[in-house]
Amino acid sequence: MSASTLDKDAIRRKYLQERDKRLRADGNQQYVQLKDQLAHYLEDPYTPLKPRAPRTSHVTFAFIGGGFGGLCTGARLKEAGIEDVCIIEKAGDFGGTWYWNRYPGAQCDTASMIYMPLLEETGHMPTEKYAHAPEILAHCQRIGRHYKLYDQALFHTEVKELTWEQADARWRIRTNRGDDFTAQYIGLATGPLHVPKLPGIPGIESFKGHSFHTSRWDYEYTGGDPLGAPMTRLADKRVAIIGTGATSVQCVPHLARSCKQLLVFQRTPSSVDVRNNQPIDPQWFASVATPGWQQRWLENFTANQAGGNAEVDLVQDGWTDLARRIRAAIAKLPREARTVPNMLAAYEDADYQKMEEIRARVDTIVQDQETAARLKAWYRQLCKRPCFHDAYLQAFNNPNVTLVDTDGKGVERIDETGLVVAGKHYPVDCIIYASGFEVGTEYKRRAGFDLTGRDGLKLSEYWSAGMHSKHGMHVHGFPNAFFVQPTQGANLISNVPHNLTEAARTIAILVRHAREQGKREIEVTKEAEDAWVALMLTAVGRMTQSPDCTPGYYNNEGLDPGPAARLNVGYPEGATAYFRYLEAWRSKGDFEGLAFR
Ligand code: NDP
């Protein structure tokens, strides 16, 4: 379908109508925090707690978070000759999100060749174009072993206090396991999506059946395993799953195969495009995996997806497809017509076409017309996390699967025996919450600790009007602390590990440089930080933060996020330009903007 045959006004009206149904005054407050009588939802079902003696000895580098951020930084530090690295992790092993998310069908939506870091260094060939969670978790453990990061790791440990001690130029670290020790440097990658949340549905605590959050999958109750073995204990169960985001899309087909009856409670449908996963052929892999291959693939994906002009598309997936369409639409404009409004209009056309295709796909798969209509997503593709799956929509053709569409309102009530939507009661044995993770809450709440920098300065106070940093990594007043995350850097959301691997490289270079120069402290100057923040303010916010989008965590549930959110942006010229800039900044060797003392 070409853009000219689309009734764009009608689509635009429909998008706004569907958005308006979902707007609510309580925004993020609609979710409940998992504490007090709900705290049991956070327990680790996977690894028993091992008793250990508290740590008291000094370490050169302590890293908070044992996901990709900590693993990559640990690896690069070791390569740079900094052996003394201690990773602190609240889970029972490395893996971060891949430690917790073991629900059946969990898989990465970004191609494994670029998503799984350090493949070249560890010599691992991913088995599939889109790897499943057990393989990614095993890879995290492989990195941990390969770089000997297990030796000093502190698992099932939550940092409670991080305080800069100026006299010794060190950080003091205290944890919930009685550890009390110092580190010359700290790194922080506590993850953007790691605090599970439950919907604040009235009566949620009154349910007497079984219930759990998808990031704490209860295989004891369901049977089966993360590799996809049938969940035999659900054969006589009526199960409700609340939520239809990326997680639900992946586990619904597995539940559909196992449950006596599955009720899928939907508030907003996801856009579900073709997955087309393929095993990786070892011969093909050997032909592409020549020295430096992973860096080339990373750069190629980013160039295709975020602001570059690559001639080839090595990854060829749903992310690069949309970007390709947008570029093609813009290329069709005569040179003199390439104004910002025209380019945005071309972008909108490409998006409408893409979403029409995704909606048409539902009709080709789902047999019941009413169910098909309710599974169609009415918003621009990047308003919500795009999903890709070849068995999700098909699951609604199974006679034991029912879509309970709440018409944008959400589940009305939960009682002792089940759920209520539009006045109708649905009795169930089990409720699975695929309700996502806290986003947009303040750093201190999500991390579980505050940082106390020089002269008692609290990070929560310093960032009360928004994030201030250089490169998203260095914060004035917090010497020798490195934040490893995408915001105010490349902000490449389609492949988060690319942001992290570059940050890891930077940290290792800086720490080695300080060591060679006999310096004890690294800190960004106030001027350099201010200049970087001013540069960030010239960036256009992501389209996904647009108030026209249907509410979700991408746009603060459709409410004005306030002026602080204006700083949650990336390098104005895009991810490819940022990585080039960063490489030049590192190679110059004077690390402009940082003071070494
Ligand atoms: P999401 O936040 O994306 O989804 C939560 C779901 O719960 C939404 O469908 C939401 O509806 C629904 N919900 C919330 N409140 C209610 C209510 N009161 N009644 C009914 N439904 C409700 O969480 P996910 O765990 O699915 O995904 C989180 C993120 O994790 C993804 O966006 C992605 O970034 C990442 N992820 C990545 C994967 C991958 O790479 N393969 C796989 C899984 C997750 P509504 O949309 O209306 O708010």
Side-chain angles (χ1 to χ4, degrees):
M1 192 176 296
S2 77
S4 55
T5 59
L6 289 176
D7 184 347
K8 287 185 249 175
D9 285 337
I11 296 177
R12 223 172 270 135
R13 271 197 309 277
K14 174 79 173 160
Y15 282 8
L16 289 179
Q17 204 185 356
E18 291 292 328
R19 177 205 65 177
D20 290 349
K21 272 187 201 170
R22 293 171 173 81
L23 279 177
R24 39 193 289 170
D26 53 359
N28 265 323
Q29 302 300 324
Q30 67 182 281
Y31 293 101
V32 287
Q33 214 180 343
L34 298 181
K35 54 184 189 183
D36 307 326
Q37 82 225 63
L38 296 178
H40 66 94
Y41 280 102
L42 292 175
E43 282 165 19
D44 180 354
Y46 312 125
T47 316
L49 191 80
K50 282 199 205 92
R52 64 169 177 82
R55 178 176 182 133
T56 50
S57 56
H58 176 76
V59 67
T60 305
F61 204 110
F63 201 100
I64 296 117
F68 282 155
L71 290 166
C72 290
T73 306
R76 294 295 179 223
L77 286 167
K78 294 258 175 161
E79 285 172 353
I82 293 109
E83 285 294 329
D84 191 22
V85 179
C86 167
I87 296 182
I88 306 169
E89 166 57 54
K90 72 174 174 180
D93 199 343
F94 291 130
T97 199
W98 300 104
Y99 175 88
W100 295 110
N101 287 289
R102 302 185 189 199
Y103 59 82
Q107 185 183 18
C108 185
D109 278 345
T110 300
S112 41
M113 296 282 280
I114 52 164
Y115 182 80
M116 293 167 73
L118 302 168
L119 285 174
E120 205 171 341
E121 291 81 345
T122 55
H124 178 68
M125 179 195 87
T127 61
E128 302 175 280
K129 178 163 183 180
Y130 303 98
H132 279 78
E135 180 172 346
I136 306 177
L137 176 58
H139 185 59
C140 292
Q141 294 162 338
R142 178 178 300 112
I143 297 170
R145 286 192 306 273
H146 186 89
Y147 288 98
K148 300 196 171 42
L149 294 166
Y150 276 100
D151 299 356
Q152 296 207 58
L154 300 175
F155 294 120
H156 278 148
T157 303
E158 291 176 40
V159 168
K160 289 291 157 201
E161 271 179 59
L162 273 177
T163 308
W164 175 250
E165 295 184 342
Q166 185 62 61
D168 298 321
R170 289 174 169 189
W171 285 93
R172 177 160 295 274
I173 301 164
R174 293 196 176 93
T175 77
N176 67 338
R177 301 287 298 271
D179 308 298
D180 185 351
F181 63 106
T182 53
Q184 186 182 357
Y185 300 100
I186 56 169
L188 301 110
T190 47
L193 291 161
H194 72 108
V195 179
K197 66 185 185 201
L198 291 192
I201 300 169
I204 193 165
E205 62 303 316
S206 65
F207 183 61
K208 292 269 191 286
H210 198 73
S211 62
F212 55 89
H213 187 271
T214 47
S215 67
R216 306 287 188 277
W217 196 272
D218 189 349
Y219 283 105
E220 262 310 292
Y221 178 83
T222 63
D225 62 30
L227 293 165
M231 292 176 278
T232 47
R233 293 183 194 153
L234 295 180
D236 59 349
K237 301 282 191 292
R238 266 170 74 90
V239 175
I241 183 161
I242 299 184
T244 49
T247 297
S248 182
V249 164
Q250 294 184 332
C251 62
V252 156
H254 290 259
L255 288 167
R257 259 175 252 142
S258 301
C259 302
K260 179 175 167 208
Q261 210 185 353
L262 177 66
L263 304 166
V264 182
F265 289 84
Q266 172 179 275
R267 190 166 67 177
T268 309
S270 278
S271 74
V272 187
D273 204 353
V274 178
R275 166 74 307 159
N276 199 13
N277 197 12
Q278 309 279 342
I280 288 186
D281 170 22
Q283 267 186 344
W284 170 83
F285 183 76
S287 71
V288 298
T290 52
W293 75 266
Q294 198 172 28
Q295 188 62 24
R296 287 196 298 277
W297 275 64
L298 282 169
E299 286 170 13
N300 179 264
F301 175 78
T302 305
N304 272 289
Q305 216 271 314
N309 243 339
E311 278 170 17
V312 284
D313 177 0
L314 294 171
V315 171
Q316 306 239 6
D317 68 356
W319 302 109
T320 56
D321 178 44
L322 180 63
R324 213 174 21 243
R325 285 165 186 254
I326 294 165
R327 278 204 305 275
I330 291 171
K332 273 194 210 139
L333 294 170
R335 212 157 258 291
E336 63 284 1
R338 288 186 200 164
T339 59
V340 172
N342 283 348
M343 288 202 282
L344 287 175
Y347 182 180
E348 192 181 44
D349 284 352
D351 198 307
Y352 284 168
Q353 282 174 56
K354 180 78 209 172
M355 287 303 285
E356 282 290 288
E357 285 172 24
I358 289 173
R359 287 189 283 268
R361 179 172 184 252
V362 182
D363 288 323
T364 65
I365 295 171
V366 179
Q367 285 148 12
D368 177 67
Q369 282 186 7
E370 196 191 324
T371 307
R374 292 187 178 279
L375 285 166
K376 289 182 186 172
W378 291 100
Y379 44 81
R380 287 177 67 170
Q381 196 185 22
L382 296 182
C383 284
K384 275 196 178 285
R385 176 62 148 71
C387 297
F388 308 90
H389 214 284
D390 294 337
Y392 173 73
L393 295 169
Q394 291 78 348
F396 292 94
N397 294 332
N398 291 8
N400 65 329
V401 179
T402 307
L403 177 71
V404 184
D405 181 47
T406 66
D407 198 25
K409 294 185 188 65
V411 173
E412 198 173 298
R413 198 156 36 84
I414 292 179
D415 64 15
E416 289 190 6
T417 57
L419 307 86
V420 177
V421 170
K424 184 171 172 193
H425 185 261
Y426 296 85
V428 292
D429 299 298
C430 174
I431 302 178
I432 301 173
Y433 293 101
S435 45
F437 303 86
E438 282 193 16
V439 183
T441 48
E442 63 161 344
Y443 187 86
K444 183 172 120 186
R445 170 165 157 172
R446 270 179 298 125
F449 56 84
D450 207 347
L451 271 79
T452 308
R454 200 167 349 84
D455 302 326
L457 178 66
K458 299 272 187 217
L459 184 73
S460 54
E461 286 160 21
Y462 193 57
W463 281 1
S464 60
M467 183 177 176
H468 281 65
S469 79
K470 182 177 173 76
H471 300 170
M473 177 183 279
H474 317 280
V475 181
H476 184 68
F478 298 83
N480 291 6
F482 303 100
F483 293 81
V484 177
Q485 52 79 48
T487 310
Q488 296 193 1
N491 213 20
L492 180 68
I493 303 305
S494 50
N495 187 22
V496 171
H498 193 178
N499 305 268
L500 310 180
T501 54
E502 286 298 324
R505 195 166 281 153
T506 305
I507 293 171
I509 290 172
L510 293 175
V511 171
R512 195 176 49 193
H513 178 77
R515 181 175 269 196
E516 284 165 2
Q517 302 294 312
K519 306 289 185 190
R520 296 198 310 168
E521 279 180 48
I522 307 172
E523 186 182 358
V524 60
T525 65
K526 185 79 182 93
E527 301 70 47
E529 185 182 89
D530 287 347
W532 191 257
V533 169
L535 179 69
M536 293 300 106
L537 286 169
T538 65
V540 183
R542 276 190 299 152
M543 188 281 293
T544 52
Q545 288 161 345
S546 158
D548 296 347
C549 279
T550 193
Y553 79 80
Y554 273 20
N555 69 344
N556 195 43
E557 302 296 335
L559 299 186
D560 179 358
R566 186 70 194 82
L567 287 164
N568 297 337
V569 289
Y571 194 63
E573 289 169 44
T576 296
Y578 175 75
F579 290 135
R580 277 200 202 118
Y581 152 82
L582 188 67
E583 179 54 27
W585 179 85
R586 284 188 306 229
S587 318
K588 244 179 111 199
D590 61 350
F591 310 110
E592 176 273 313
L594 300 188
F596 291 77
R597 289 186 284 264

